[in-house]
Amino acid sequence: MRFSRSALAAWCAALALAACGGSGERAENEILIAAIFDLTGPTADVGLDYADAVQGHVEWLNQRGGIRGRPVRLIYQDYAYQVALAEQLYTQFVQEGALIFMGWGTGDTEALRLRIAEDRIPFSSASLSHVLGDAHESPYNFLVATSYSDQFRIVLRWIAEDHRARGGVGNARVAFMHNASPFGLSPWVQGGEDYAAEIGVDVTPYEMPRGATDYTAEFSRITQSGAAYVVFQNTSAPAAVALRNARSLGVDATFVCLNWCANALLWRLAEDAAEGVIGAIPWAPLTDDVPGVQEIRAYLESRGDDYAEKTNAYTQGWWTMALFAEGVRRVIDAGEELTGENIKHALETIEALDTGGAGPPLTFTPSDHRGSKGLRLFRAEGGRWSPMTELLAAPAGSP
């Protein structure tokens, strides 16, 4: 039975530590993959679509005979963005024999990083913290989208160019409004601050308290600072609150969302206040008619879902699962034993994996697990995200 997203969230939340997504005897030759999702926590606004996509890709694979004839089983649990629960579920699922692990948040992914390496479990999460793509620091972690640091640096470079094109005098001034968490600070502390100073952009961080319903105080300070650009590193719901607040206060600034608020949900929550927002989008919205999303759209339509209602978190979740399926496929084709170590090595042979325009081609090496180094900027126009640039590569050099 397919559950609605709200029913699934409620069901998983009620199951303490029980694994959702199937139980019972393991099928012969079954490939076991584990995941934790935020279905009821503070980032569930985008977590639901990401979770649905990972589950959907597994279902899509099994409809086609699995991976080289071997069925895939996904065991998963809502951890509600609680780091301690993430660590507990990781232990449980690895003991059950999971070969691959799909995580979610920055705090829990960074907390698990050393254990993942010790256990030799290939791991990817929705967190795009730059350090997680460092193959020396995080040898079993893989980033399947442009890191937060690279996203922020691309945006800062665009701001510097836009400021000059508008005849701006002196340095561009930017307000960086961020989630009150490691996720929120990641692009700033992992290279953003240094890069801003390097290119002559003045950036001031402003924390967005969890659950805030009004940002008048923050916008008063931002206006007084003279900032002409506001960059959000947050999910859709708080960014929408801030945008509606800013529009009502008459804040005159260009607003930019990094990936977790540049999506269809922002439109639904912010409505007209989203008009004109710039989005840094590593994985294309499902309304972007490129080959890499057409298969996803066909799958969603086959189960009666409206793809236009999905955020690009769905695209990211789908392609994250697709990448790891490709790693498994390469191990099987090489006639090797299906182990975490062999899957890791197989992923490190992937060069310019074609995503059909859904995202940049993906390349991984033994020394670099940041598979994507670029993105396109989109503009929010008339209820959808319209492409604004071609692929923009991240500035050279490590943050």
Side-chain angles (χ1 to χ4, degrees):
M1 178 182 296
R2 175 165 298 283
F3 289 81
S4 70
R5 292 192 299 171
S6 58
L8 176 63
W11 182 52
C12 287
L15 288 183
L17 295 180
C20 303
S23 58
E25 294 297 321
R26 296 272 297 277
E28 186 178 359
N29 290 326
E30 184 176 72
I31 299 165
L32 187 64
I33 297 174
I36 53 172
F37 300 127
D38 184 8
L39 305 178
T40 58
T43 60
D45 53 344
V46 290
L48 285 164
D49 273 354
Y50 186 91
D52 193 24
V54 172
Q55 297 166 63
H57 192 82
V58 170
E59 180 179 70
W60 180 86
L61 283 171
N62 286 330
Q63 288 171 351
R64 286 154 180 77
I67 302 176
R68 294 294 187 254
R70 295 182 61 171
V72 180
R73 182 158 71 101
L74 180 71
I75 54 174
Y76 57 90
Q77 175 65 41
D78 174 22
Y79 82 116
Y81 214 80
Q82 299 176 39
V83 173
L85 182 55
E87 294 178 299
Q88 192 171 355
L89 289 167
Y90 170 81
T91 299
Q92 175 186 330
F93 291 159
V94 169
Q95 289 175 347
E96 290 182 21
L99 286 171
I100 294 168
F101 203 99
M102 296 287 160
W104 174 252
T106 297
D108 40 274
T109 302
E110 291 182 349
L112 287 168
R113 185 164 52 90
L114 296 180
R115 292 177 60 188
I116 291 160
E118 290 172 1
D119 295 334
R120 300 181 180 181
I121 301 293
F123 189 108
S124 188
S125 79
S127 171
L128 303 177
S129 174
H130 199 79
V131 70
L132 297 175
D134 186 329
H136 301 292
E137 294 288 330
S138 312
Y140 277 79
N141 289 78
F142 291 83
L143 288 191
V144 190
T146 312
S147 75
Y148 298 138
S149 297
D150 280 346
Q151 289 183 44
F152 194 37
R153 296 195 305 153
I154 289 169
V155 165
L156 288 175
R157 184 179 60 194
W158 176 83
I159 285 173
E161 294 169 353
D162 186 67
H163 175 68
R164 287 193 296 270
R166 295 187 184 195
V169 178
N171 292 348
R173 295 183 181 180
V174 178
F176 176 58
M177 298 188 72
H178 64 87
N179 187 284
S181 69
F183 148 66
L185 278 171
S186 176
W188 175 245
V189 300
Q190 295 183 30
E193 183 175 11
D194 292 340
Y195 184 69
E198 177 186 329
I199 65 172
V201 175
D202 297 334
V203 181
T204 302
Y206 296 85
E207 184 176 283
M208 301 174 74
R210 185 170 293 175
T213 58
D214 184 90
Y215 295 99
T216 298
E218 287 83 358
F219 282 123
S220 176
R221 288 157 52 207
I222 288 169
T223 300
Q224 290 173 6
S225 76
Y229 301 86
V230 177
V231 178
F232 293 111
Q233 166 68 345
N234 214 325
T235 59
S236 309
V241 171
L243 283 170
R244 292 172 73 100
N245 199 188
R247 303 302 194 197
S248 69
L249 293 169
V251 176
D252 183 18
T254 297
F255 294 93
V256 183
C257 270
L258 300 189
N259 72 298
W260 287 116
C261 61
N263 52 42
L265 182 59
L266 188 75
W267 272 110
R268 293 200 291 274
L269 297 175
E271 298 178 327
D272 290 346
E275 187 73 29
V277 171
I278 309 300
I281 303 183
W283 288 101
L286 292 179
T287 52
D288 190 23
D289 194 19
V290 294
V293 303
Q294 288 170 356
E295 202 158 45
I296 304 174
R297 283 155 51 157
Y299 166 76
L300 288 169
E301 288 172 342
S302 75
R303 64 182 220 194
D305 287 352
D306 180 0
Y307 66 80
E309 292 297 310
K310 300 290 186 182
T311 68
N312 34 303
Y314 199 99
T315 314
Q316 182 175 331
W318 182 278
W319 275 98
T320 299
M321 191 67 250
L323 172 78
F324 280 79
E326 175 63 19
V328 169
R329 196 174 292 115
R330 291 187 181 207
V331 173
I332 294 172
D333 289 349
E336 298 174 341
E337 182 183 359
L338 201 56
T339 65
E341 189 169 12
N342 285 340
I343 295 168
K344 169 189 179 289
H345 293 324
L347 290 169
E348 291 171 340
T349 68
I350 291 175
E351 182 176 358
L353 181 69
D354 184 12
T355 65
L362 298 174
T363 296
F364 298 91
T365 70
S367 61
D368 188 358
H369 287 182
R370 299 181 188 107
S372 170
K373 301 294 197 303
L375 51 76
R376 288 182 292 165
L377 294 181
F378 288 67
R379 188 187 303 275
E381 296 176 334
R384 62 181 295 154
W385 292 94
S386 301
M388 183 177 131
T389 69
E390 297 298 323
L391 182 67
L392 301 176
S398 298

